Amino acid sequence: MSQPSITLWSDANFFSPYVMSVFVALTEKGLKFSLETIDLNTGQHQHARWPGADLTRRVPVLIVDDFALTESSAITEYLEDRFAPPTWERIYPHNPENRARARQIQAWLRSDLGPIREERPTDVVFGGVKKPALSAVGEAQAQRLIGAVETLLPEGQQNLFGEWCIADTDLALMVNRLILNGDKVPARLVEYATFQWQRASVQQFIDLKSRLAV
């Protein structure tokens, strides 16, 4: 099956949850892609000589032939349209209402819950770092997250919509910000996040960290 040339630009230490979302989407689609990195800590993303310089100067950046795109949820939606089922694997639900809900969840995770992202950054998830107890604001946001996931996740299911979709990966990562720091999370949500974390595409992203030790 032929496909165009695809490149994904990531942060150099693979800590970006948004890069992870796109990496998982590409992998689940069965697309071949090359992976390039840029060091955000030294400001390389501010330099003019990389594909993101003319866009948001943030990762991820996806390059498909001569088309460049940023913002992870825009990228995953583009991938679903550009490499559409049934020729390529599905990463969003087939049902229109479930698909809309999945995109709602992605947008919510990226635009809200800032105190969780600030107090439980992804070095907790990918670097094993432990942070102090949540502030009162952070705890309130954690309870909002927990309540939302308990509402969204049907009892007895391991995926939001019966079958996996990319919103499961994004939501599990947000929940894991709490779980992997040792914060109190209901057992049903721990089971959900643990199940999602075992997915092969997620583990492939996590394994990229081993490159840094070489």
Side-chain angles (χ1 to χ4, degrees):
M1 190 180 302
S2 62
Q3 64 160 77
S5 172
I6 301 175
T7 302
L8 172 62
W9 281 85
S10 169
D11 57 310
N13 55 8
F14 306 112
F15 274 10
S16 170
Y18 311 118
V19 169
M20 176 179 170
S21 185
V22 175
F23 180 97
V24 167
L26 287 164
T27 304
E28 293 286 345
K29 282 276 181 196
L31 294 165
K32 296 180 180 179
F33 63 98
S34 60
L35 186 64
E36 300 287 344
T37 62
I38 193 156
D39 193 338
L40 306 184
N41 294 329
T42 61
Q44 286 185 354
H45 59 300
Q46 300 296 341
H47 298 171
R49 295 180 180 177
W50 78 290
D54 294 331
L55 299 169
T56 58
R57 299 197 176 188
R58 302 197 301 183
V59 294
V61 178
L62 184 76
I63 312 294
V64 179
D65 286 339
D66 58 354
F67 175 67
L69 187 65
T70 61
E71 300 302 316
S72 59
S73 59
I75 292 172
T76 56
E77 290 181 31
Y78 165 73
L79 290 173
E80 185 77 329
D81 292 339
R82 175 67 174 78
F83 303 98
T87 303
W88 305 92
E89 293 298 320
R90 185 178 299 281
I91 60 171
Y92 283 95
H94 176 73
N95 174 275
E97 287 71 31
N98 288 344
R99 187 162 61 249
R101 183 73 71 202
R103 287 169 170 167
Q104 173 195 325
I105 291 167
Q106 288 186 296
W108 176 58
L109 293 173
R110 288 157 174 76
S111 63
D112 202 351
L113 306 170
I116 297 177
R117 293 196 301 274
E118 292 169 9
E119 298 183 34
R120 298 292 180 265
T122 51
D123 56 1
V124 169
V125 177
F126 301 122
V129 174
K130 300 297 182 184
K131 299 293 183 179
L134 290 165
S135 67
V137 173
E139 180 61 32
Q141 293 294 296
Q143 293 307 312
R144 282 186 63 218
L145 172 63
I146 289 168
V149 180
E150 288 180 325
T151 298
L152 290 164
L153 182 65
E155 288 283 352
Q157 286 193 191
Q158 295 175 311
N159 299 302
L160 290 167
F161 307 107
E163 294 183 343
W164 175 89
C165 78
I166 190 62
D168 281 301
T169 296
D170 291 349
L171 188 57
L173 190 147
M174 183 62 82
V175 176
N176 267 334
R177 291 175 186 263
L178 303 174
I179 294 170
L180 297 177
N181 195 72
D183 299 308
K184 188 175 181 180
V185 175
R188 187 164 76 94
L189 273 60
V190 173
E191 292 173 3
Y192 166 73
T194 300
F195 177 79
Q196 296 300 328
W197 224 236
Q198 293 169 349
R199 195 166 184 87
S201 56
V202 174
Q203 286 298 308
Q204 286 179 43
F205 181 81
I206 293 171
D207 286 347
L208 292 174
K209 298 292 296 178
S210 64
R211 296 186 184 184
L212 301 180
V214 176

